[in-house]
């Protein structure tokens, strides 16, 4: 189980994902005071969710805030 806190960060595109976590292992990612620059189409994913495996590559199962593993609200993310 891993728990990450990403706070007071400015991310500038190009970029794809700020964090990816394995929900089946109980991982969490908490975001606050995030600014994403030059992403008018909002393609940068804040939090990707995966089904982790012990061998091989994990399977992506979704993205976005869920109140359990990916922890943030729309007010935590600012686009500039």
């Amino acid at each position: 189980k891993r728990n990450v806190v990403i706070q007071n960060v400015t991310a500038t595109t190009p970029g794809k994902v700020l964090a990816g976590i394995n929900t089946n292992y109980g991982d969490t990612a908490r975001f606050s005071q995030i600014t994403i620059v030059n992403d008018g189409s909002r393609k940068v994913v804040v939090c990707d969710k995966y089904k982790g495996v012990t061998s091989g590559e994990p399977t992506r199962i979704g993205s976005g805030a869920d109140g359990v593993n990916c922890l943030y609200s729309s007010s935590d993310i600012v686009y500039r």
Side-chain angles (χ1 to χ4, degrees):
K1 178 178 177 177
R2 296 172 290 181
N3 301 291
V4 63
V5 174
I6 300 175
Q7 181 178 13
N8 196 25
V9 169
T10 298
T12 302
T13 59
K16 294 183 181 183
V17 179
L18 296 182
I21 59 169
N22 297 313
T23 60
N24 59 314
Y25 293 147
D27 295 355
T28 63
R30 183 177 305 274
F31 302 85
S32 63
Q33 299 172 318
I34 305 298
T35 301
I36 301 176
V37 179
N38 297 331
D39 187 24
S41 57
R42 298 186 180 190
K43 290 184 179 182
V44 174
V45 175
V46 175
C47 187
D48 256 347
K49 296 179 258 189
Y50 294 88
K51 180 179 179 186
V53 294
T54 58
S55 177
E57 293 296 316
T59 302
R60 185 177 178 273
I61 57 173
S63 65
D66 61 13
V68 177
N69 300 99
C70 291
L71 305 166
Y72 63 96
S73 65
S74 59
S75 64
D76 292 313
I77 313 299
V78 174
Y79 292 88
R80 204 168 34 112

